[in-house]
Amino acid sequence: MTSREQLIATTFVELADTLVADFDVIDFLHTLAIRSVELLGATAAGIMLADQHGELRVMASSTEEARLLELYELQNNEGPCLDCYRTGKPVARAGLPAMHSAWPAFTPRLRQLGFHSAQALPMRLRTETIGALNLFRAEPGPLSEADRGIGQAMADVATVGLLQERAIAARAQLATQLQAALTSRVVLEQAKGMLAQRTGLSLDQAFQLMRGYARSNNRRLSDVAAHIIAGTIDSDLLRVHRRAKPTPRPT
């Protein structure tokens, strides 16, 4: 097997392994976003899921730019992710003129943030769509047909995993869990901003610092974020940050 084939296999195992006692929805969705970038030729990725009212919410993103684009989609009610969720089908446009025609407000913002194409894949199970996977590229044009197929398979497996995690058919329990994840996401964004301000790191670097700390200490990401806001864990993270900085060479 090539290294890419090995990563694809590993990714599908990760996305299917949701029936564990300490399953972390936020970390699971970030894994999907990061693997989408690594495997599909995308520059950045983001995930929106519907809350209990059927309204889309930003749940994960591989970079800060992707998060800002997703928020822009929601604020302007325009973009590939919204179209994808509404139709339950993959959404892409062949080039910038077609993108401008479909999304006149979103496309200029996309280019301002360094991207030249965007498309979305539905997160669905049969006829039920619970969200969408956004894929942004610095290069023009949509994903190849092969990469789109892999991406859709990843989104489908992740959707099944989310639904299986509660082993339910009714939407109510899933909606409750997704609402809890949304609340955790708000706390996460607050903690990320606080940590970035205290350390001088970028928002993306601050998030990676939090996530690495949570994983290495076997703690939930949302718990780590809450402790950062409360000021009960900040010193530990700062020590990790100082150790990670390169030692300056003597002049």
Side-chain angles (χ1 to χ4, degrees), residues 25-209:
V25 175
I26 295 294
D27 192 71
F28 175 80
L29 294 173
H30 275 283
T31 296
L32 174 59
I34 291 168
R35 291 289 185 264
S36 297
V37 173
E38 294 173 339
L39 290 170
L40 304 180
T43 306
I47 298 164
M48 292 189 196
L49 294 180
D51 62 16
Q52 71 268 37
H53 304 296
E55 299 293 329
L56 284 177
R57 296 287 185 266
V58 176
M59 300 302 297
S61 52
S62 64
T63 66
E64 182 66 13
E65 289 79 10
R67 188 181 76 89
L68 291 174
L69 270 175
E70 291 190 302
L71 290 173
Y72 192 83
E73 286 189 71
L74 294 177
Q75 290 167 358
N76 290 273
N77 195 32
E78 176 188 296
C81 198
L82 276 73
D83 291 352
C84 181
Y85 174 66
R86 290 163 180 161
T87 63
K89 298 178 180 179
V91 171
R93 297 292 183 271
L96 283 173
M99 290 175 61
H100 274 289
S101 177
W103 312 305
F106 170 78
T107 302
R109 182 60 172 159
L110 177 83
R111 299 190 68 185
Q112 286 175 4
L113 290 172
F115 303 108
H116 288 82
S117 67
Q119 66 185 94
L121 302 173
M123 296 187 67
R124 66 190 178 195
L125 178 62
R126 300 183 182 90
T127 60
E128 181 179 15
T129 303
I130 65 170
L133 169 63
N134 258 330
L135 299 167
F136 306 109
R137 305 183 69 218
E139 301 80 13
L143 299 177
S144 68
E145 185 175 347
D147 282 347
R148 187 181 68 182
I150 294 172
Q152 186 61 67
M154 289 167 56
D156 289 346
V157 170
T159 303
V160 171
L162 287 169
L163 293 167
Q164 273 191 334
E165 194 274 329
R166 289 299 179 215
I168 57 168
R171 296 179 61 120
Q173 288 182 322
L174 175 63
T176 298
Q177 198 219 10
L178 294 181
Q179 184 61 38
L182 176 60
T183 302
S184 296
R185 180 72 199 185
V186 172
V187 173
L188 184 65
E189 291 300 325
Q190 291 175 344
K192 183 171 68 174
M194 291 175 67
L195 187 60
Q197 185 178 32
R198 293 171 185 172
T199 61
L201 296 171
S202 69
L203 290 173
D204 287 337
Q205 291 171 329
F207 173 76
Q208 293 303 325
L209 188 62

